[in-house]
């Protein structure tokens, strides 16, 4: 009898402190708003960006995609990628640095229309199928998505 009561109490204690992952509001990462949860109905997922495998660079001031006419991607021997708009309106040069064990990149530089961005953080999101996906945050919390050939 004592054994049954103890087992019952143990089951109650264990179940009270348990919060199932499916019922939890999981913290998601957001550039510039670290530690804050997204609002109701907001999605912070990068799934849409990762599903789009077109070479591109997009940020607060421009979007350049390979699948749009007149956008050229030029990979250099040193790993730098230069993206140019044939009409001469925009250019981006990206030098990807070294990846750390946490997927954060060090030594990366991005030059947009001749001006170097001050980068706070660059993270590799995925690498495969002849391309790499990166997410960069600049000093003004601007979010940049880069999908570059390798």
């Amino acid at each position: 009898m004592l054994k049954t009561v103890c087992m019952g109490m143990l089951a109650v204690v264990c179940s009270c402190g348990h919060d199932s992952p499916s019922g939890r509001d999981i913290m998601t990462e957001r550039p510039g708003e670290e530690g804050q949860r997204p609002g109701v109905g907001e999605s912070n997922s990068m799934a849409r960006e990762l599903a789009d495998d077109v070479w591109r660079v997009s940020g607060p001031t421009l979007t350049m995609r390979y699948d749009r006419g007149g956008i050229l991607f030029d990979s250099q021997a040193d790993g730098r990628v230069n993206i140019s708009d044939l009409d001469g309106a925009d250019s981006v040069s990206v030098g990807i640095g070294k990846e750390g064990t946490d997927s954060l990149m060090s030594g990366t530089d991005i030059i947009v229309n001749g001006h170097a961005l001050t980068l706070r953080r660059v993270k590799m999101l995925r690498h495969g199928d002849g391309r790499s996906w990166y997410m960069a945050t600049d000093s003004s919390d601007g979010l940049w998505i880069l999908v570059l050939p390798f």
Side-chain angles (χ1 to χ4, degrees):
M1 171 80 172
L2 182 58
K3 184 177 180 180
T4 305
V5 171
C6 288
M7 293 297 282
M9 287 177 48
L10 181 61
V12 169
V13 169
C14 289
S15 67
C16 290
H18 184 266
D19 186 15
S20 70
S22 61
R24 235 186 324 215
D25 211 3
I26 298 172
M27 293 289 286
T28 56
E29 191 173 311
R30 195 179 237 184
E33 298 181 18
E34 295 172 23
Q36 294 183 14
R37 294 186 349 208
V40 175
E42 287 183 16
S43 174
N44 234 7
S45 171
M46 295 304 290
R48 194 165 104 208
E49 296 295 345
L50 292 169
D52 184 354
D53 66 352
V54 173
W55 297 345
R56 67 186 179 281
V57 58
S58 63
T61 58
L62 63 81
T63 297
M64 299 172 74
R65 295 176 56 95
Y66 186 71
D67 62 349
R68 297 197 179 133
I71 305 296
L72 300 177
F73 280 68
D74 179 28
S75 298
Q76 303 295 309
D78 64 357
R80 179 166 287 281
V81 177
N82 297 314
I83 304 115
S84 304
D85 191 338
L86 286 180
D87 68 8
D90 293 308
S91 67
V92 176
S93 181
V94 181
I96 294 296
K98 183 178 179 180
E99 181 182 6
T101 57
D102 54 1
S103 297
L104 294 178
M105 308 301 290
S106 62
T108 298
D109 69 280
I110 302 173
I111 301 169
V112 178
N113 295 326
H115 301 290
L117 296 178
T118 302
L119 299 173
R120 287 183 22 186
R121 182 173 182 228
V122 179
K123 182 173 184 172
M124 176 184 274
L125 301 174
R126 181 187 294 167
H127 182 78
D129 295 327
R131 59 193 44 86
S132 296
W133 286 254
Y134 301 94
M135 176 179 67
T137 307
D138 65 26
S139 60
S140 61
D141 290 332
L143 179 64
W144 293 84
I145 301 297
L146 301 102
V147 181
L148 303 173
F150 63 83

